[in-house]
Amino acid sequence: MFGRRRSEFDASGPGALATIRDVVEIVAILAAGVWAFYTFVYENQIKPANAQPEAQVEGSLTRLGTRHGLIAIGSHVKITNVGTTDIWMYGFAETVLGANVRPRPHGAAADDTGIAILDEPDWTSSRPTRVFGFAELTQLADEHSAHVIDLRAGQSLPLDRVFYVTAGRFDELETNFSLRYDSRPDAKPFHLATVAGFVVVAPNGKRDANGFDGSFATLSLWR
């Protein structure tokens, strides 16, 4: 009769234990939801979509044969999206330069041990001459273009061409390539310009994009 009545909110009662259990379950469910969002949404969708675009350019020159005093050359260039986001191209340009190689009038010097000191190579190359070129701008760079080029992650764009040079005119050929691209289809004006003898994709102002400019394939025409 005079005993104290236990409150239903007493921390030692069964109601409190049930409340604690419910809170723990809610926290566990929320933690699982956060983990699922991070793993399946952020890591697999948001993060890849906002990653820096990455393109790899590789290629080769192949001597195909000689006929009628001309040498047939096969040019193979491949642009590959090696990143996790899409690539939208503004344009690309391929330039093949030809040069001649001649021996230097002096040989390599030697030190007291008789080992050659190769301060300079035994040959010199002539000023390169443009012998073949191919270039293209897309609609993102030039509104008058009819082409739109984009690559998803892992996709490649092969560019295969055959051109001809006069037999005996050059000793070697070299491929130069210029590429501009971005991860979003944002229109930016670009044009084709000549720099050091080869064509590049250049911006019309300060708004440039990701790109590649360089040489990667050399072919000797000696037999």
Side-chain angles (χ1 to χ4, degrees), residues 4 18 60 97 111 135 137 152 179 198:
R4 186 171 67 89
S60 61
L97 303 177
D111 61 13
L137 294 176
R152 296 188 180 276
L179 171 68
F198 57 91

Side-chain angles (χ1 to χ4, degrees), residues 61 95-101 125-132 163 165 169-176 197 219 221:
L61 293 173
T95 307
V96 180
L97 303 177
N100 288 303
V101 179
S125 297
S126 65
R127 183 175 180 179
T129 301
R130 189 188 310 174
V131 298
F132 172 76
F163 63 94
V165 296
R169 183 183 178 190
F170 298 107
D171 295 320
E172 65 179 17
L173 302 176
E174 180 183 70
T175 296
N176 295 268
L219 173 67
L221 297 179

Side-chain angles (χ1 to χ4, degrees), residues 3-223:
R4 186 171 67 89
R5 186 177 180 182
R6 183 183 296 273
S7 172
E8 60 178 333
F9 298 102
D10 195 325
S12 61
L17 293 177
T19 301
I20 294 174
R21 184 176 65 249
D22 292 342
V23 171
V24 171
E25 290 179 354
I26 293 173
V27 171
I29 293 173
L30 291 176
V34 171
W35 178 84
F37 175 84
Y38 179 83
T39 302
F40 298 105
V41 179
Y42 178 76
E43 286 289 339
N44 295 334
Q45 298 181 29
I46 298 178
K47 185 177 179 179
N50 291 277
Q52 188 75 3
E54 297 181 64
Q56 175 180 288
V57 181
E58 55 186 347
S60 61
L61 293 173
T62 305
R63 180 172 181 155
L64 303 177
T66 304
R67 190 174 183 182
H68 304 310
L70 295 173
I71 302 175
I73 306 295
S75 170
H76 172 71
V77 178
K78 184 172 70 172
I79 306 171
T80 304
N81 182 352
V82 295
T84 59
T85 183
D86 292 353
I87 283 179
W88 296 81
M89 296 189 192
Y90 294 100
F92 56 82
E94 176 188 4
T95 307
V96 180
L97 303 177
N100 288 303
V101 179
R102 296 292 182 267
R104 288 186 182 275
H106 59 81
D111 61 13
D112 295 338
T113 64
I115 300 176
I117 302 174
L118 300 179
D119 293 330
E120 294 181 322
D122 287 338
W123 75 93
T124 180
S125 297
S126 65
R127 183 175 180 179
T129 301
R130 189 188 310 174
V131 298
F132 172 76
F134 177 81
E136 184 172 322
L137 294 176
T138 69
Q139 285 185 356
L140 296 178
D142 183 356
E143 61 182 6
H144 301 293
S145 173
H147 302 283
V148 176
I149 305 176
D150 66 292
L151 296 176
R152 296 188 180 276
Q155 284 188 325
S156 297
L157 174 66
L159 303 171
D160 295 317
R161 299 287 186 273
V162 175
F163 63 94
Y164 305 86
V165 296
T166 302
R169 183 183 178 190
F170 298 107
D171 295 320
E172 65 179 17
L173 302 176
E174 180 183 70
T175 296
N176 295 268
F177 200 80
S178 179
L179 171 68
R180 289 295 180 275
Y181 61 92
D182 211 337
S183 60
R184 293 180 176 83
D186 296 331
K188 297 178 184 178
F190 283 82
H191 67 282
L192 300 175
T194 301
V195 178
F198 57 91
V199 179
V200 299
V201 181
N204 293 1
K206 297 181 179 180
R207 295 189 65 198
D208 204 346
N210 298 277
F212 170 88
D213 291 289
S215 306
F216 55 82
T218 303
L219 173 67
S220 173
L221 297 179
W222 288 0
R223 303 200 72 163

